[in-house]
Amino acid sequence: MSVEREELAALLRTCGIARDLGQARRHHVRILSSSSHRSDRFLLNLAVQMYGRCGDLQSAKEVFNSIAQPNAFSWNIMISACAQNGRAEDAMLAFQKNPHKNQVSWNALITAFAENSNLHAAREIFERIPELRSVLSWNIMISAYARCGQFFQAKDLFDRMEIRDTVSWNIMIQAYSNFGDLSGAEQLFRSMPDRDTGSWNSILTAYAISGHLEKAKQTFDRTPERDLITWNTMIAAFLRYNDMDNAITMFQRMPRLDLVTWNAMVQAFTRNGHLESAKRIFNTMLERDIVSWNLILQLYSQTLKISKTRQWFDSMPEHNTASLTIMLTAYAADGHLRQARNVFDCMPARRLVTWNAMMAAYVNSKDQASSLDLFLEMPQRDIASWNVALQGFAQARHLEHAFGIFHEMPEWDIVSWTALLGAYALAAMVEEATAVFDQMPEHDSISWSAMVGAYASSGMIAHAKRLHDLMLDRSLASWNAMLAAYAQTGALLESRRFFDSMPELDEISWNSMLAAFVYAGNGGCALEFLQEMAVNAVSANGKTFAMVLCVCDHIGLLKRGRREFSRMLFDYAIHPNIEHFGSMADILGRSGMLSDAKELVYTMPYQPDIVSWGSLLGTCKIL
């Protein structure tokens, strides 16, 4: 192999590992410009692999199609490239055309479907392998089951294995850990014929996940040979339970740091909303990757205005699917649905998480039709896709469609059950909601809260309070649900008493208490409470202003209504939705400013709905 050919091969491999698409394209151009290299199958195979790892599947396909005589390696890396980019069906097409099928081909195809959570298809392929299955094939399948929470299927395959390697044992220890069976993980660890550093890391992770920090520290100290994963796992354990002091001490003790370690520390500060600390760590990093940049981007999207988020996005040296998905979600959360869709349409490659994010954006904007169109367009779906579709119908109170989607789903999780429960709760169908609640295989704070809400919306406050009292672990969401129950009935005294007894408060709590004043028709106290929110540094959101405008409408406060509408837009950068415009139009109309009300309805960036027209007609009758 010539020196130049060796250099190019090394560069292609490095770009693939670093996922540096810009450099990848430059090196590819260099290959194409050389008459001795542009037809070199070895280099072209590496270019396919490089593009696949960089997330540019289209370029990978183009390079593959330019290979005069693809060999077994060519076909296998093409299948793997499809798998890495979430295109299982494309992987299947490449596999079917592959004249050189071998164990690597079969394993790559299993991985393609397993990585996309299509375990049924992955298992079918696994069972069709014509020759004796390799240990790797078994490990891929067991790992897929374990990763998707299907513990018993993973255990069944593990028990059937005639030959196991250390990786098989390590995967199963992780499966026990994820299943919450720490004693099973410990027993398996003790019965291992051989252990490697990965085995120690697996049991260390099991202790960390289960909250046994002391046992995790003891295991860390006993580990014969620590690698970066060992150190990073221990740091992650401390960070998981917000033990920042020990995490920082461990970080400082590490013999060497890698990007995973640095990113873990950045992530710890981003998770706690500490932007300046996260940026300080980021600026200290000698080397950064796309994950590092995305972590800061994620924090910007959660804590700063969309303009600042966009500035950071534009300053990034590169973007990947995750970067674009974060930006899409940020636009959608800020009410910029058109910009969110533009990001989606311009993405060179989309993963399931991107499709799901765009669907969720439509659902949150109450655009159920566009969400459903996207659902039908999706090349493949996972349980999250089905759940978003179900939640959309539930929020729109299309119970028949919600029920239909639920029964079409290939599998259900707690989110699916809770969405169906929520659909009945919103429709005040308390008997149906109770039936769903009783059928659920498990409950979390969200399902408990939804059931409390179902009782509340039916006026069954005593039932709601009894259910709330039965909860063993009351989350803030469950407290808020009970507060909302009191508020909806206009029980102002009980609402205030309950509000004052809550162990913690968030924006939802304050807005629910504000709603209690509104429902009780006590506009003056509602405006006084708004001042109380400001004193306690509670940030107003769209729901806050919706209620304030409602109060101004009912009391007839034109100047105050105009001021609050303006503050929402200019002081809080909250874009008014159709409900805000409708209230403001009603305020103007009731104050005798019918032409201004009509102009607002005609010029607002929404198609006027029946409520908007009703407001105008109502004010016409009044006048």
Side-chain angles (χ1 to χ4, degrees):
M1 186 185 290
S2 69
V3 173
E4 187 184 14
R5 191 173 185 242
E6 282 186 13
E7 181 195 351
L8 279 169
L11 289 171
L12 295 174
R13 290 191 183 100
T14 301
C15 281
I17 293 168
R19 291 172 170 76
D20 189 337
L21 185 57
Q23 286 289 351
R25 287 178 175 149
R26 282 189 282 276
H27 297 319
H28 184 207
V29 168
R30 184 176 164 188
I31 291 171
L32 294 176
S33 63
S34 169
S35 58
S36 58
H37 296 320
R38 69 170 64 106
S39 300
D40 187 324
R41 185 171 62 191
F42 171 72
L43 291 177
L44 293 176
N45 282 343
L46 290 177
V48 174
Q49 185 181 59
M50 172 188 68
Y51 277 126
R53 288 175 172 172
C54 289
D56 188 350
L57 185 60
Q58 185 58 41
S59 294
K61 287 180 178 180
E62 289 171 5
V63 176
F64 175 81
N65 291 332
S66 73
I67 301 174
Q69 292 182 311
N71 58 10
F73 185 68
S74 314
W75 286 99
N76 289 339
I77 60 170
M78 191 64 240
I79 296 168
S80 295
C82 295
Q84 289 163 357
N85 288 276
R87 302 298 293 270
E89 298 303 327
D90 287 353
M92 176 62 85
L93 289 174
F95 177 83
Q96 289 169 342
K97 294 177 183 178
N98 181 3
H100 309 288
K101 295 181 183 72
N102 54 24
Q103 277 282 345
V104 176
S105 317
W106 285 96
N107 289 340
L109 189 62
I110 294 170
T111 301
F113 285 93
E115 289 290 333
N116 285 280
S117 302
N118 190 341
L119 300 186
H120 179 73
R123 182 61 180 266
E124 281 188 346
I125 297 162
F126 174 80
E127 297 293 350
R128 281 170 44 207
I129 295 177
E131 303 166 5
L132 185 67
R133 299 182 192 98
S134 67
V135 174
L136 179 58
S137 308
W138 288 87
N139 288 345
I140 292 169
M141 203 63 236
I142 294 171
S143 180
Y145 279 129
R147 189 175 59 253
C148 293
Q150 298 192 21
F151 171 77
F152 294 106
Q153 290 88 335
K155 186 176 184 301
D156 177 63
L157 278 186
F158 180 79
D159 292 341
R160 282 175 51 195
M161 289 182 75
E162 294 179 6
I163 302 172
R164 301 172 183 139
D165 62 8
T166 309
V167 175
S168 318
W169 289 87
N170 294 345
I171 292 169
M172 207 57 221
I173 290 171
Q174 292 166 7
Y176 272 104
S177 171
N178 294 336
F179 187 61
D181 186 352
L182 180 60
S183 62
E186 289 176 319
Q187 186 177 347
L188 205 65
F189 179 76
R190 286 193 294 267
S191 61
M192 287 183 72
D194 296 296
R195 297 180 189 132
D196 62 6
T197 304
S199 314
W200 287 92
N201 290 341
S202 296
I203 194 65
L204 176 61
T205 302
Y207 286 130
I209 289 173
S210 60
H212 289 77
L213 277 182
E214 195 55 43
K215 284 190 174 182
K217 283 190 277 186
Q218 290 169 8
T219 303
F220 176 85
D221 292 336
R222 286 173 51 213
T223 302
E225 291 184 25
R226 301 180 193 127
D227 60 10
L228 279 167
I229 295 174
T230 318
W231 286 91
N232 288 336
T233 302
M234 197 63 238
I235 289 175
F238 287 127
L239 294 176
R240 184 185 182 93
Y241 296 97
N242 290 321
D243 188 349
M244 292 298 294
D245 291 340
N246 271 318
I248 291 170
T249 301
M250 187 68 69
F251 178 77
Q252 292 168 340
R253 278 180 55 198
M254 283 186 72
R256 70 184 181 92
L257 304 170
D258 68 350
L259 267 171
V260 174
T261 321
W262 284 102
N263 286 341
M265 295 303 295
V266 173
Q267 186 174 31
F269 286 112
T270 59
R271 189 169 56 238
N272 292 308
H274 297 150
L275 177 59
E276 291 308 314
S277 298
K279 282 194 70 177
R280 192 158 50 247
I281 293 283
F282 178 87
N283 291 332
T284 308
M285 294 171 69
L286 298 176
E287 181 186 0
R288 306 177 188 117
D289 63 1
I290 188 66
V291 174
S292 322
W293 286 90
N294 283 343
L295 285 168
I296 302 295
L297 178 66
Q298 182 75 55
L299 184 55
Y300 265 56
S301 71
Q302 293 167 352
T303 57
L304 297 178
K305 293 180 180 178
I306 190 67
S307 57
K308 293 288 185 183
T309 306
R310 182 72 208 202
Q311 283 177 16
W312 183 264
F313 178 83
D314 291 339
S315 73
M316 292 172 64
E318 60 174 321
H319 303 121
N320 63 3
T321 306
S323 324
L324 292 163
T325 303
I326 292 168
M327 203 62 227
L328 181 159
T329 306
Y331 274 130
D334 207 52
H336 299 285
L337 200 59
R338 187 178 300 168
Q339 288 92 327
R341 184 62 199 236
N342 287 342
V343 172
F344 180 83
D345 289 338
C346 293
M347 292 177 75
R350 304 183 190 114
R351 296 198 172 184
L352 261 173
V353 66
T354 314
W355 286 89
N356 293 342
M358 193 65 236
M359 273 183 65
Y362 280 127
V363 167
N364 293 334
S365 299
K366 296 182 172 56
D367 188 349
Q368 179 59 22
S370 296
S371 176
L372 183 59
D373 287 343
L374 211 61
F375 180 75
L376 296 174
E377 286 176 32
M378 293 179 76
Q380 57 196 63
R381 304 178 185 117
D382 63 3
I383 193 167
S385 320
W386 287 93
N387 283 339
V388 173
L390 175 58
Q391 288 164 342
F393 284 123
Q395 288 176 20
R397 305 194 184 192
H398 295 158
L399 293 182
E400 189 176 331
H401 290 100
F403 194 71
I405 281 279
F406 183 81
H407 284 284
E408 277 184 53
M409 293 177 69
E411 58 178 322
W412 302 310
D413 62 7
I414 195 166
V415 177
S416 323
W417 284 98
T418 304
L420 186 64
L421 168 61
Y424 287 126
L426 281 171
M429 298 174 68
V430 70
E431 288 184 17
E432 290 82 354
T434 303
V436 171
F437 185 79
D438 291 340
Q439 289 178 59
M440 290 178 70
E442 59 175 323
H443 301 110
D444 62 4
S445 61
I446 298 173
S447 52
W448 280 92
S449 301
M451 196 61 232
V452 168
Y455 283 129
S457 59
S458 300
M460 303 169 69
I461 297 298
H463 284 74
K465 183 67 169 68
R466 187 158 55 247
L467 194 65
H468 179 264
D469 291 341
L470 283 172
M471 293 176 66
L472 298 175
D473 183 21
R474 298 189 194 102
S475 66
L476 180 55
S478 62
W479 284 91
N480 284 337
M482 193 62 230
L483 176 60
Y486 282 126
Q488 286 167 17
T489 60
L492 194 53
L493 188 62
E494 290 86 350
S495 298
R496 184 72 212 211
R497 188 180 296 132
F498 190 82
F499 176 82
D500 291 337
S501 72
M502 288 175 66
E504 60 177 318
L505 302 168
D506 64 1
E507 288 179 4
I508 296 173
S509 319
W510 287 91
N511 279 337
S512 294
M513 190 59 231
L514 179 63
F517 288 112
V518 175
Y519 289 137
N522 197 331
C525 288
L527 294 177
E528 286 178 14
F529 187 75
L530 186 66
Q531 185 62 35
E532 188 178 336
M533 290 175 67
V535 169
N536 284 276
V538 180
S539 181
N541 58 25
K543 290 185 178 179
T544 314
F545 282 103
M547 286 182 283
V548 171
L549 290 172
C550 181
V551 168
C552 294
D553 188 12
H554 288 159
I555 299 179
L557 301 176
L558 173 62
K559 288 184 179 179
R560 180 67 183 265
R562 276 181 157 169
R563 187 167 76 246
E564 296 298 340
F565 192 83
S566 178
R567 282 181 65 228
M568 173 175 60
L569 186 59
F570 297 108
D571 293 350
Y572 288 85
I574 297 171
H575 292 268
N577 60 27
I578 194 166
E579 183 183 359
H580 298 124
F581 277 105
S583 292
M584 194 63 232
D586 210 38
I587 292 170
L588 291 167
R590 287 173 182 271
S591 301
M593 305 178 70
L594 187 58
S595 60
D596 288 2
K598 284 175 63 177
E599 183 182 356
L600 187 67
V601 169
Y602 281 118
T603 58
M604 67 182 181
Y606 301 98
Q607 189 71 26
D609 61 6
I610 191 168
V611 177
S612 309
W613 292 122
S615 295
L616 277 180
L617 289 172
T619 53
C620 288
K621 288 179 181 178
I622 291 170
L623 298 173

